[in-house]
Amino acid sequence: MSFTLEGPVLEGALVRLEPLGQSHAADLAMAVEEDRSSYRFTWVPTAAEVEGYIDAQLARAAAGKLAPYAQVDQVSGRAVGATAYWDPRLWPDRDGLCAIEVGFTWLAASAQGTGVNAEAKYLLFRHAFENWGVARVDLKTDARNGRSRAAIEAAGARFEGVLRNWSRSWAPGEDGQLRDSAIFSITAAEWPDCRTRLEQRTALVPERRQPTSVTR
């Protein structure tokens, strides 16, 4: 039986991961323009590019290469960022998914440091290991992106090394150039400890006051 990469809705206390669609465009257009100073090494669309960005992600999904998500804040009901499963690798000698990468991740400035990223990673990792039965989950970032590397390590992933000239650079002024990529992973054997660590981190996030109404 072949594997079809489809990401289901993943529900947490802080964030709900919904399959990305054009219904999220208006929220994401607001999210990307809050404060772009943390996007130095990550490609994040501008407000004018959001609809095209979503179309491109959906095209990758149709090709079986990607399962894109909107990150929806549970308090406001608004999409505050995006993430994805991508680069699925199958077992060479049996059915099923061997490994998957978590990437294409970005958050609005107001959602950074709130626990949303940690919980989103928890939901994605848990589904990959406990529902798909993967042997490993990969993550990578620009080797110069210290903030992203720290967040990945805080999520429990292990640094494996730097692959030089590995992928396209998204840094301003580096169009057409390649970047060095820092590679991280979590293996199935490491997942139980990683799960406990992430559950403890998200449990420490102060309870947030629920709004009296939600507008979109």
Side-chain angles (χ1 to χ4, degrees):
M1 182 177 64
S2 61
F3 176 83
T4 300
L5 180 58
E6 295 178 347
V9 173
L10 300 174
E11 192 94 17
L14 301 177
V15 65
R16 183 173 67 256
L17 300 182
E18 299 178 355
L20 182 67
Q22 287 295 347
S23 61
H24 300 110
D27 286 351
L28 294 180
M30 294 177 59
V32 297
E33 297 300 337
E34 286 186 3
D35 178 356
R36 298 183 62 87
S37 61
S38 65
Y39 301 153
R40 181 181 174 191
F41 297 109
T42 303
W43 184 73
V44 178
T46 63
E49 295 170 332
V50 163
E51 290 187 8
Y53 164 82
I54 294 174
D55 284 341
Q57 294 295 72
L58 295 179
R60 294 183 179 100
K65 299 178 180 179
L66 188 78
Y69 281 102
Q71 301 195 60
V72 178
D73 180 82
Q74 292 281 37
V75 173
S76 68
R78 292 185 180 276
V80 294
T83 190
Y85 288 119
W86 77 296
D87 191 21
R89 280 105 68 204
L90 304 180
W91 290 102
D93 55 356
R94 63 178 188 267
D95 291 337
L97 189 65
C98 174
I100 194 78
E101 183 167 338
V102 170
F104 287 95
T105 301
W106 59 269
L107 280 171
S110 61
Q112 297 174 22
T114 64
V116 165
N117 180 62
E119 187 176 68
K121 290 294 191 296
Y122 168 75
L123 295 171
L124 292 164
F125 296 165
R126 185 179 66 182
H127 184 78
F129 284 114
E130 298 180 13
N131 292 83
W132 288 336
V134 300
R136 64 178 274 146
V137 170
D138 307 329
L139 304 98
K140 66 175 180 285
T141 189
D142 192 305
R144 299 167 295 180
N145 194 341
R147 180 173 183 167
S148 178
R149 291 177 65 160
I152 291 171
E153 290 186 319
R158 181 175 296 184
F159 175 60
E160 294 187 332
V162 172
L163 297 179
R164 297 177 297 164
N165 288 349
W166 179 249
S167 59
R168 175 180 176 178
S169 174
W170 298 107
E174 294 185 357
D175 291 348
Q177 297 183 36
L178 296 175
R179 75 178 194 189
D180 295 348
S181 292
I183 309 299
F184 298 80
S185 72
I186 302 167
T187 66
E190 295 164 345
W191 168 238
D193 286 343
C194 179
R195 174 175 178 154
T196 298
R197 182 175 178 177
L198 283 170
E199 287 175 343
Q200 291 172 342
R201 282 188 63 197
T202 54
L204 292 174
V205 176
E207 183 178 355
R208 299 190 293 175
R209 180 177 59 84
Q210 296 294 320
T212 56
S213 63
V214 174
T215 57
R216 293 186 64 82

mmCIF file of all heavy atoms in Angstrom, residues 59-84:
data_model
loop_
_atom_site.group_PDB
_atom_site.id
_atom_site.type_symbol
_atom_site.label_atom_id
_atom_site.label_comp_id
_atom_site.label_asym_id
_atom_site.label_seq_id
_atom_site.Cartn_x
_atom_site.Cartn_y
_atom_site.Cartn_z
ATOM 1 N N ALA A 59 0.095 23.554 -4.581
ATOM 2 C CA ALA A 59 0.624 22.824 -5.730
ATOM 3 C C ALA A 59 1.618 21.754 -5.288
ATOM 4 O O ALA A 59 1.622 20.637 -5.812
ATOM 5 C CB ALA A 59 1.281 23.794 -6.712
ATOM 6 N N ARG A 60 2.452 22.098 -4.324
ATOM 7 C CA ARG A 60 3.383 21.103 -3.785
ATOM 8 C C ARG A 60 2.607 19.970 -3.106
ATOM 9 O O ARG A 60 2.988 18.798 -3.194
ATOM 10 C CB ARG A 60 4.349 21.757 -2.797
ATOM 11 C CG ARG A 60 5.310 22.762 -3.429
ATOM 12 C CD ARG A 60 6.288 23.303 -2.398
ATOM 13 N NE ARG A 60 7.228 24.253 -2.982
ATOM 14 C CZ ARG A 60 7.111 25.572 -2.889
ATOM 15 N NH1 ARG A 60 6.089 26.103 -2.214
ATOM 16 N NH2 ARG A 60 7.991 26.362 -3.460
ATOM 17 N N ALA A 61 1.521 20.328 -2.420
ATOM 18 C CA ALA A 61 0.698 19.306 -1.771
ATOM 19 C C ALA A 61 0.074 18.380 -2.808
ATOM 20 O O ALA A 61 0.021 17.152 -2.620
ATOM 21 C CB ALA A 61 -0.382 19.971 -0.924
ATOM 22 N N ALA A 62 -0.412 18.949 -3.912
ATOM 23 C CA ALA A 62 -1.025 18.137 -4.959
ATOM 24 C C ALA A 62 -0.028 17.169 -5.578
ATOM 25 O O ALA A 62 -0.407 16.087 -6.046
ATOM 26 C CB ALA A 62 -1.619 19.044 -6.031
ATOM 27 N N ALA A 63 1.248 17.540 -5.557
ATOM 28 C CA ALA A 63 2.296 16.670 -6.091
ATOM 29 C C ALA A 63 2.767 15.632 -5.075
ATOM 30 O O ALA A 63 3.646 14.817 -5.383
ATOM 31 C CB ALA A 63 3.483 17.513 -6.555
ATOM 32 N N GLY A 64 2.199 15.659 -3.867
ATOM 33 C CA GLY A 64 2.553 14.688 -2.844
ATOM 34 C C GLY A 64 3.827 14.998 -2.093
ATOM 35 O O GLY A 64 4.347 14.146 -1.372
ATOM 36 N N LYS A 65 4.324 16.239 -2.233
ATOM 37 C CA LYS A 65 5.592 16.597 -1.615
ATOM 38 C C LYS A 65 5.444 17.323 -0.283
ATOM 39 O O LYS A 65 6.425 17.494 0.444
ATOM 40 C CB LYS A 65 6.384 17.495 -2.570
ATOM 41 C CG LYS A 65 6.721 16.855 -3.897
ATOM 42 C CD LYS A 65 7.455 17.826 -4.811
ATOM 43 C CE LYS A 65 7.793 17.199 -6.151
ATOM 44 N NZ LYS A 65 8.480 18.151 -7.054
ATOM 45 N N LEU A 66 4.237 17.769 0.033
ATOM 46 C CA LEU A 66 4.063 18.696 1.147
ATOM 47 C C LEU A 66 2.670 18.537 1.733
ATOM 48 O O LEU A 66 1.712 18.258 1.011
ATOM 49 C CB LEU A 66 4.240 20.133 0.625
ATOM 50 C CG LEU A 66 4.286 21.278 1.620
ATOM 51 C CD1 LEU A 66 5.660 21.347 2.270
ATOM 52 C CD2 LEU A 66 4.000 22.601 0.907
ATOM 53 N N ALA A 67 2.562 18.725 3.041
ATOM 54 C CA ALA A 67 1.270 18.839 3.719
ATOM 55 C C ALA A 67 1.305 20.145 4.502
ATOM 56 O O ALA A 67 1.794 20.191 5.633
ATOM 57 C CB ALA A 67 1.021 17.655 4.639
ATOM 58 N N PRO A 68 0.840 21.254 3.898
ATOM 59 C CA PRO A 68 0.976 22.566 4.528
ATOM 60 C C PRO A 68 -0.136 22.855 5.529
ATOM 61 O O PRO A 68 -1.285 22.437 5.345
ATOM 62 C CB PRO A 68 0.890 23.520 3.331
ATOM 63 C CG PRO A 68 -0.011 22.815 2.361
ATOM 64 C CD PRO A 68 0.255 21.340 2.549
ATOM 65 N N TYR A 69 0.227 23.598 6.567
ATOM 66 C CA TYR A 69 -0.710 23.956 7.626
ATOM 67 C C TYR A 69 -0.732 25.461 7.847
ATOM 68 O O TYR A 69 0.293 26.140 7.700
ATOM 69 C CB TYR A 69 -0.292 23.327 8.950
ATOM 70 C CG TYR A 69 -0.623 21.873 9.128
ATOM 71 C CD1 TYR A 69 0.353 20.892 8.974
ATOM 72 C CD2 TYR A 69 -1.904 21.477 9.494
ATOM 73 C CE1 TYR A 69 0.054 19.550 9.174
ATOM 74 C CE2 TYR A 69 -2.213 20.140 9.689
ATOM 75 C CZ TYR A 69 -1.235 19.183 9.532
ATOM 76 O OH TYR A 69 -1.531 17.855 9.727
ATOM 77 N N ALA A 70 -1.881 25.960 8.267
ATOM 78 C CA ALA A 70 -1.980 27.260 8.920
ATOM 79 C C ALA A 70 -1.945 27.023 10.422
ATOM 80 O O ALA A 70 -2.561 26.074 10.924
ATOM 81 C CB ALA A 70 -3.281 27.960 8.537
ATOM 82 N N GLN A 71 -1.212 27.873 11.133
ATOM 83 C CA GLN A 71 -1.190 27.814 12.585
ATOM 84 C C GLN A 71 -2.237 28.809 13.106
ATOM 85 O O GLN A 71 -2.069 30.022 12.951
ATOM 86 C CB GLN A 71 0.197 28.160 13.124
ATOM 87 C CG GLN A 71 1.290 27.232 12.599
ATOM 88 C CD GLN A 71 2.565 27.337 13.405
ATOM 89 O OE1 GLN A 71 2.572 27.083 14.604
ATOM 90 N NE2 GLN A 71 3.647 27.706 12.759
ATOM 91 N N VAL A 72 -3.290 28.286 13.708
ATOM 92 C CA VAL A 72 -4.420 29.105 14.132
ATOM 93 C C VAL A 72 -4.395 29.258 15.650
ATOM 94 O O VAL A 72 -4.417 28.260 16.386
ATOM 95 C CB VAL A 72 -5.755 28.481 13.680
ATOM 96 C CG1 VAL A 72 -6.940 29.318 14.173
ATOM 97 C CG2 VAL A 72 -5.790 28.355 12.160
ATOM 98 N N ASP A 73 -4.320 30.495 16.087
ATOM 99 C CA ASP A 73 -4.312 30.787 17.514
ATOM 100 C C ASP A 73 -5.659 30.419 18.121
ATOM 101 O O ASP A 73 -6.718 30.836 17.630
ATOM 102 C CB ASP A 73 -4.030 32.276 17.725
ATOM 103 C CG ASP A 73 -4.011 32.658 19.183
ATOM 104 O OD1 ASP A 73 -2.976 32.460 19.832
ATOM 105 O OD2 ASP A 73 -5.055 33.157 19.673
ATOM 106 N N GLN A 74 -5.643 29.634 19.191
ATOM 107 C CA GLN A 74 -6.889 29.167 19.788
ATOM 108 C C GLN A 74 -7.659 30.281 20.493
ATOM 109 O O GLN A 74 -8.882 30.195 20.632
ATOM 110 C CB GLN A 74 -6.599 28.030 20.788
ATOM 111 C CG GLN A 74 -6.112 26.738 20.162
ATOM 112 C CD GLN A 74 -7.253 25.914 19.559
ATOM 113 O OE1 GLN A 74 -8.209 26.449 18.997
ATOM 114 N NE2 GLN A 74 -7.162 24.598 19.688
ATOM 115 N N VAL A 75 -6.974 31.315 20.940
ATOM 116 C CA VAL A 75 -7.650 32.402 21.644
ATOM 117 C C VAL A 75 -8.399 33.305 20.669
ATOM 118 O O VAL A 75 -9.579 33.588 20.829
ATOM 119 C CB VAL A 75 -6.652 33.224 22.481
ATOM 120 C CG1 VAL A 75 -7.333 34.457 23.073
ATOM 121 C CG2 VAL A 75 -6.072 32.363 23.601
ATOM 122 N N SER A 76 -7.718 33.765 19.645
ATOM 123 C CA SER A 76 -8.311 34.723 18.709
ATOM 124 C C SER A 76 -9.050 34.069 17.556
ATOM 125 O O SER A 76 -9.899 34.693 16.916
ATOM 126 C CB SER A 76 -7.222 35.638 18.139
ATOM 127 O OG SER A 76 -6.348 34.897 17.297
ATOM 128 N N GLY A 77 -8.710 32.809 17.264
ATOM 129 C CA GLY A 77 -9.278 32.151 16.100
ATOM 130 C C GLY A 77 -8.638 32.561 14.792
ATOM 131 O O GLY A 77 -9.101 32.174 13.722
ATOM 132 N N ARG A 78 -7.559 33.325 14.841
ATOM 133 C CA ARG A 78 -6.899 33.815 13.638
ATOM 134 C C ARG A 78 -5.670 32.967 13.295
ATOM 135 O O ARG A 78 -4.960 32.489 14.179
ATOM 136 C CB ARG A 78 -6.465 35.275 13.814
ATOM 137 C CG ARG A 78 -7.619 36.258 13.915
ATOM 138 C CD ARG A 78 -7.086 37.684 13.969
ATOM 139 N NE ARG A 78 -8.169 38.647 14.059
ATOM 140 C CZ ARG A 78 -8.840 39.118 13.005
ATOM 141 N NH1 ARG A 78 -8.511 38.717 11.794
ATOM 142 N NH2 ARG A 78 -9.820 39.989 13.157
ATOM 143 N N ALA A 79 -5.423 32.848 11.999
ATOM 144 C CA ALA A 79 -4.187 32.214 11.543
ATOM 145 C C ALA A 79 -3.027 33.162 11.814
ATOM 146 O O ALA A 79 -3.071 34.329 11.411
ATOM 147 C CB ALA A 79 -4.272 31.881 10.063
ATOM 148 N N VAL A 80 -2.007 32.675 12.508
ATOM 149 C CA VAL A 80 -0.879 33.524 12.900
ATOM 150 C C VAL A 80 0.439 33.034 12.316
ATOM 151 O O VAL A 80 1.500 33.563 12.640
ATOM 152 C CB VAL A 80 -0.763 33.613 14.441
ATOM 153 C CG1 VAL A 80 -1.966 34.327 15.025
ATOM 154 C CG2 VAL A 80 -0.593 32.226 15.063
ATOM 155 N N GLY A 81 0.384 32.045 11.442
ATOM 156 C CA GLY A 81 1.608 31.538 10.848
ATOM 157 C C GLY A 81 1.345 30.295 10.040
ATOM 158 O O GLY A 81 0.189 29.902 9.810
ATOM 159 N N ALA A 82 2.408 29.674 9.601
ATOM 160 C CA ALA A 82 2.307 28.479 8.766
ATOM 161 C C ALA A 82 3.401 27.493 9.146
ATOM 162 O O ALA A 82 4.408 27.857 9.761
ATOM 163 C CB ALA A 82 2.423 28.849 7.286
ATOM 164 N N THR A 83 3.194 26.252 8.775
ATOM 165 C CA THR A 83 4.199 25.205 8.935
ATOM 166 C C THR A 83 3.813 24.075 8.000
ATOM 167 O O THR A 83 2.800 24.169 7.292
ATOM 168 C CB THR A 83 4.298 24.739 10.404
ATOM 169 O OG1 THR A 83 5.451 23.897 10.566
ATOM 170 C CG2 THR A 83 3.054 23.980 10.856
ATOM 171 N N ALA A 84 4.589 23.013 7.970
ATOM 172 C CA ALA A 84 4.293 21.934 7.020
ATOM 173 C C ALA A 84 5.073 20.676 7.350
ATOM 174 O O ALA A 84 6.152 20.726 7.952
ATOM 175 C CB ALA A 84 4.625 22.375 5.585
#
